[in-house]
Amino acid sequence: MSMFSIFGVSGSAISSQAQRLNVVASNLANADAVAGPDGQSYKARQVVFQTVPLNDPGSAGVKVQTITESQLPGKRVHNPGHPNADAEGYVTHSNVNPVEEMVNMISASRSYQNNVEVMNTAKTLLMKTLQMGQ
């Protein structure tokens, strides 16, 4: 693996983690959402990663393969006076767990930061190599 392929590996990871952070932000924004007129509530989304080969033999990056929706049922709260209550008086909330999403956000943020640090270290090493040649 060449020194330049490090930028490809870390760059793909940074891009993927940025998408993961966007999905987490969307989940957190809809954590308190209730079912709409169609009776469907917001469903938490999760990012699924996939390994992809890069141009340099022996190196691989990562990309977002798909974004899936959780099939867990939303929390049902008995509130007959709510405008979105069903015939039984229940309001269906989203199935987003804010605690899990915060953990997911911290994990994605740290992965993003680690890959930025890898790129900065590789850049510093390349600059030192160039300085040695002067």
Side-chain angles (χ1 to χ4, degrees), residues 32-134:
D32 291 328
V34 296
D38 62 351
Q40 298 296 316
S41 61
Y42 180 84
K43 295 188 183 287
R45 291 169 173 80
Q46 299 296 325
V47 175
V48 178
F49 295 115
Q50 176 183 4
T51 304
V52 291
L54 296 177
N55 294 339
D56 192 19
S59 64
V62 64
K63 75 172 190 170
V64 174
Q65 179 183 22
T66 187
I67 298 174
T68 61
E69 281 189 353
S70 172
Q71 297 306 312
L72 294 174
K75 181 176 68 170
R76 294 185 70 199
V77 176
H78 190 263
N79 187 356
H82 195 280
N84 290 352
D86 61 13
E88 298 171 355
Y90 285 94
V91 177
T92 305
H93 292 264
S94 71
N95 63 355
V96 176
N97 182 337
V99 175
E100 286 180 12
E101 293 303 323
M102 291 300 291
V103 170
N104 202 3
M105 180 180 66
I106 291 168
S107 173
S109 178
R110 287 195 176 148
S111 294
Y112 187 98
Q113 290 171 345
N114 287 339
N115 281 290
V116 167
E117 189 62 32
V118 166
M119 291 180 89
N120 285 335
T121 301
K123 181 184 107 182
T124 302
L125 289 172
L126 286 172
M127 293 300 288
K128 294 283 185 186
T129 303
L130 289 173
Q131 287 175 355
M132 285 174 44
Q134 292 179 350

